[in-house]
Amino acid sequence: MRSKRLLIRSALAGMIAAGLGQAPLAVADEGKEKCYGIAKAGQNDCGTATHSCAGLAKKDNAQDEWKYVPKGTCTKLGGKLKPPAGK
Amino acid sequence: MKPVPALASLQARFADAVLDGGDERLAPLLAGDPGVNRRRLAVYRDAVHANRRETLRGAFPVVARLVGEGFFDEATKGFGWRSPPACADLNRYGEGFPAFLAAYPHAAAMPWLADVARLEWAWQESLMAADEPVLDYAALTGIADAEPEGLRLRLHASVRLVRSAWPVLAIWEANQPDRDGTPAREEGTDDVLAWREAQRVRLALLSPPEADFLEGLGRGLPLGEVCAKMDGRDFTGMLVRLARHGMLGGYSVEGAAKA
């Protein structure tokens, strides 16, 4: 189909122009400050490691039912979010 | 005197006791009061759990905030015993957590929770995806002219798409550290695009046709097929957008692949 070919061709022309304009920037960013960029905000290498004393005082296998009740910000969402249409 | 097992066997028994809770094979080898031994072992077990929980909190901060401390502690414990880390790189730990939450009976009142977790994992995967050069646009010029319908564009390794029946992006945004948890929208079926640009993960809301288009690209369909998912102007706009934000990693044409 001729019009389809023309459409894709012109879209690709736009894409290539945009890509050629951006490519040097993207390359310049690669490898720069990798150590900082790769961690989530506020989380460095030490952020995920918990000191082995962290659990010292806590008893294991405590099956406290209250823990299963969400106590976070989802209480703000409760009853507000509607089920999606058609469900 | 008790027989002393080989070191490897002793370590294996200790690992069993610490990782899945069964200390039947270790206990007979320990000197001293069994009750005291059990409490001491619990310290190790708890440290293992705390490491996993904090790792998961790093990957799923919004889920953690949504459900609160006690719930998150229990959920990550349940997940951890069932799905211990398979890779020494803890940044890869948590892939199965969204599915775990989807089936977690205590989360049944929060049907959107698993999708929020899917979005957070997409964020994590996008962040950890391998670096790769963006598509070689100069080399594409001739090919684009000759055989445009058969061209297949490959998304950059950091690009992820999350499609949800819930307003997950609004929930995610409302639970960033500087927000109070109240979403700006309470309705919506969010299709969210995640990608990494200049070492940061970005999220954007897509229209359903845009998401269909991207899903088609991700499945490796040629442009002649995926272009039908959007009208002409949006199609051009989407390709320009993908190029501008470094979301294309390569291309292939019938027979010959390039990157």
Side-chain angles (χ1 to χ4, degrees):
Chain A
M1 205 165 72
R2 201 177 138 72
S3 64
K4 185 158 116 181
R5 172 168 285 206
L6 284 176
L7 165 70
I8 298 175
R9 227 176 238 163
S10 84
L12 283 173
M15 181 193 86
I16 289 170
L20 287 173
Q22 289 307 109
L25 183 71
V27 170
D29 280 332
E30 302 275 5
K32 194 171 68 176
E33 295 195 284
K34 175 80 168 178
C35 304
Y36 294 101
I38 208 70
K40 283 190 172 185
Q43 177 198 343
N44 59 22
D45 282 353
C46 303
T48 53
T50 305
H51 193 276
S52 44
C53 295
L56 194 67
K58 295 205 312 187
K59 249 180 84 190
D60 198 22
N61 294 329
Q63 298 289 323
D64 304 330
E65 283 299 319
W66 62 266
K67 287 186 164 183
Y68 294 126
V69 180
K71 287 282 200 297
T73 57
C74 85
T75 50
K76 288 194 166 105
L77 301 179
K80 291 185 81 179
L81 291 177
K82 299 170 183 69
K87 280 207 172 178
Chain B
M1 220 179 107
K2 292 171 181 174
V4 180
L7 179 62
S9 157
L10 185 62
Q11 287 173 334
R13 292 175 191 215
F14 180 74
D16 276 356
V18 168
L19 294 178
D20 74 3
D23 65 349
E24 301 81 7
R25 293 173 65 240
L26 182 70
L29 302 176
L30 300 178
D33 175 45
V36 172
N37 289 341
R38 194 160 291 127
R39 282 205 301 281
R40 287 174 173 165
L41 203 56
V43 174
Y44 287 95
R45 287 166 51 76
D46 225 42
V48 168
H49 163 58
N51 268 316
R52 292 173 179 171
R53 182 189 62 221
E54 296 313 308
T55 297
L56 291 169
R57 192 197 308 279
F60 301 94
V62 171
V63 168
R65 182 173 162 178
L66 283 166
V67 300
E69 208 46 51
F71 188 107
F72 193 70
D73 186 62
E74 285 301 320
T76 52
K77 186 177 287 180
F79 174 68
W81 297 143
R82 189 175 313 187
S83 311
C87 171
D89 178 2
L90 287 179
N91 286 309
R92 309 278 169 196
Y93 181 54
E95 185 175 16
F97 195 50
F100 172 84
L101 289 177
Y104 196 48
H106 308 292
M110 299 168 277
W112 31 266
L113 188 67
D115 278 4
V116 174
R118 283 172 55 221
L119 178 59
E120 294 205 278
W121 188 251
W123 203 107
Q124 174 83 0
E125 280 192 328
S126 182
L127 182 72
M128 303 310 298
D131 279 341
E132 63 170 342
V134 294
L135 187 150
D136 182 354
Y137 290 95
L140 188 58
T141 315
I143 296 157
D145 263 3
E147 196 48 60
E149 293 103 323
L151 184 66
R152 297 160 203 268
L153 296 173
R154 186 172 57 74
L155 294 168
H156 190 272
S158 77
V159 177
R160 294 289 181 281
L161 176 66
V162 173
R163 311 196 71 169
S164 173
W166 298 92
V168 281
L169 185 60
I171 297 172
W172 186 90
E173 286 171 339
N175 285 283
Q176 293 309 297
D178 56 339
R179 294 276 304 272
D180 77 349
T182 310
R185 287 182 289 118
E186 288 151 28
E187 287 173 83
T189 56
D190 289 2
D191 292 324
V192 188
L193 176 65
W195 77 99
R196 197 177 66 217
E197 188 174 353
Q199 307 292 0
R200 297 180 67 90
V201 176
R202 317 273 170 112
L203 300 178
L205 197 61
L206 296 182
S207 69
E210 287 171 336
D212 288 344
F213 168 78
L214 221 73
E215 212 170 69
L217 273 194
R219 287 212 310 273
L221 297 179
L223 286 182
E225 277 181 57
V226 285
C227 77
K229 297 182 187 296
M230 308 169 79
D231 74 39
R233 184 179 305 185
D234 291 347
F235 172 65
T236 303
M238 192 68 191
L239 285 187
V240 169
R241 183 176 176 189
L242 293 177
R244 184 167 291 155
H245 294 282
M247 284 190 259
L248 294 171
Y251 64 88
S252 62
V253 278
E254 297 298 306
K258 178 75 181 74

